[in-house]
Amino acid sequence: MVRGRAVLARVVVTGLVCAGVAACGDSANTTTAVVESVAAAPSTPAPPDPAAVAANELGVVPVLMYHQLSPHPAGDYDQTPEEFRAELERLFREGYRPITMAQYGSGEIDLPAGTHPVVLTFDDSTGSQVRFGDDGILAPDCAVAILQDVAAAQTPAVAPRATFYVNNDPFAGDGRALPWLAAHGYEIGAHTADHSNLGQLNADGVQRELVQNVRAITAAVPGIDVRTMALPLGVFPSDHALAAAGTWEGTAYRFDTVLLVGANPAPSPYGPVDHGAVPRIRSGRGEVPFDSAYWLDRLAADPAQRYTADGDPARISYPRAGGADPDPRWASRANPY
């Protein structure tokens, strides 16, 4: 082994010397090319053949909707901390990996080959979602602490990601929450200032609700870009366009994606998706029709329907036999097999 290293050292030195001496001619060029080839060798293995992992990046994506965690659930959308933990563990066990809604909306999905994106969304910014103790440490039974814990326990560890749709004065008024979420890679989205039914407001009222909400978020986290919005109660304003863009008192807002309340998985971001009305799946205690358990069971029974990553964010892989192709704006990345 020592002798081999000595030979390699002589080759490198010869290449460096010959590079500066014209008399070395072709020998210098050849040796330099070898050294450059070694330096250019990839440090990570190439992604596997898409067929080997049954990649389908035109498959559906579960966007799960959560509200409140409580030891004694009262509403249809509530869960106990134990139920929430169990659902997360199931997701990771079945190969799902969390992304934010902004990543979905922009198509910025970079996941290991064979895994599936899932978007975890939290509405209403309740204290059960993000809560700190007097020592500044997350309460262990709040939603984000449970997500952090379950993600860290995976092998290898998974980056915890989620999108929180907040109203003004979020998380029981704890001013630490929004900066903490932003600093730890979570997305913060709009949910109106007062959780208003936008269908009952005039155009000025709709825009006021959304502008005041965006102002409050950006005041708490300067420089943040609020890219997505979830409709309170799933209700559009009379002018649907105002859910995505508008202006009030000199402040404009524009959202890349607007979310509904139910009740099925979202299309692939590379397919025919309406970013102004992306569906979500409700998660509760089994009392909500077509809830998360229903859809996770259905996708587990028919895995060809769900989005499965090929491991290469530069291409969009999918089975040619499926008969579908990406939306034309993604055509340059299409990789049918």
Side-chain angles (χ1 to χ4, degrees):
M1 183 65 182
V2 172
R3 182 177 181 277
R5 289 178 180 170
V7 172
L8 177 59
R10 285 198 298 273
V11 170
V12 173
V13 170
T14 301
L16 292 174
V17 172
C18 289
V21 181
C24 288
D26 292 342
S27 175
N29 293 335
T30 301
T31 305
T32 301
V34 170
V35 173
E36 289 177 349
S37 176
V38 171
S43 58
T44 57
D49 180 353
V53 295
N56 180 15
E57 295 180 321
L58 296 184
V60 299
V61 178
V63 180
L64 305 185
M65 180 178 67
Y66 298 97
H67 282 74
Q68 182 161 285
L69 301 188
S70 171
H72 308 288
D76 290 347
Y77 294 169
D78 295 351
Q79 285 186 316
T80 66
E82 293 75 20
E83 288 169 333
F84 178 62
R85 179 182 291 272
E87 182 153 271
L88 291 179
E89 289 174 343
R90 174 184 180 173
L91 287 167
F92 289 130
R93 186 169 60 249
E94 295 184 0
Y96 289 95
R97 297 294 180 264
I99 63 172
T100 66
M101 199 65 225
Q103 289 174 304
Y104 168 92
S106 63
E108 299 168 1
I109 300 177
D110 184 2
L111 294 177
T115 63
H116 325 289
V118 61
V119 187
L120 309 175
T121 67
F122 296 84
D123 287 13
D124 303 350
S125 51
T126 66
S128 70
Q129 296 172 5
V130 182
R131 187 173 70 257
F132 299 92
D134 293 337
D135 56 2
I137 303 299
L138 284 171
D141 60 345
C142 75
V144 73
I146 295 171
L147 173 56
Q148 297 265 122
D149 185 48
V150 175
Q154 306 308 305
T155 305
V158 174
R161 293 288 179 265
T163 301
F164 290 82
Y165 290 104
V166 305
N167 306 114
N168 287 17
D169 201 26
F171 307 114
D174 192 330
R176 297 170 292 184
L178 292 185
W180 188 96
L181 288 172
H184 287 79
Y186 294 97
E187 181 189 1
I188 301 168
H191 201 45
T192 74
D194 300 309
H195 201 272
S196 297
N197 183 333
L198 298 181
Q200 296 178 352
L201 300 178
N202 61 21
D204 184 70
V206 170
Q207 293 170 96
R208 180 185 66 247
E209 276 287 320
L210 290 168
V211 164
Q212 289 181 343
N213 192 209
V214 170
R215 283 178 177 174
I217 295 169
T218 54
V221 188
I224 192 173
D225 186 11
V226 184
R227 296 170 61 182
T228 67
M229 189 272 278
L231 293 164
L233 311 173
V235 178
F236 276 102
S238 297
D239 182 353
H240 283 206
L242 292 179
T247 305
W248 184 76
E249 289 192 349
T251 300
Y253 62 88
R254 180 175 295 278
F255 306 121
D256 299 333
T257 305
V258 175
L259 296 182
L260 305 174
V261 166
N264 51 274
S268 166
Y270 309 125
V273 56
D274 178 0
H275 286 279
V278 174
R280 291 190 285 175
I281 299 168
R282 294 168 289 182
S283 189
R285 296 178 294 152
E287 298 180 7
V288 179
F290 307 109
D291 64 3
S292 54
Y294 168 87
W295 281 109
L296 291 177
D297 287 347
R298 184 164 169 175
L299 292 175
D302 190 6
Q305 297 301 311
R306 64 188 172 187
Y307 183 120
T308 299
D310 68 358
D312 184 352
R315 65 187 183 187
I316 300 169
S317 296
Y318 54 96
R320 196 185 305 272
D325 289 300
D327 185 88
R329 70 192 183 102
W330 299 105
S332 64
R333 289 170 53 184
N335 182 46
Y337 66 91

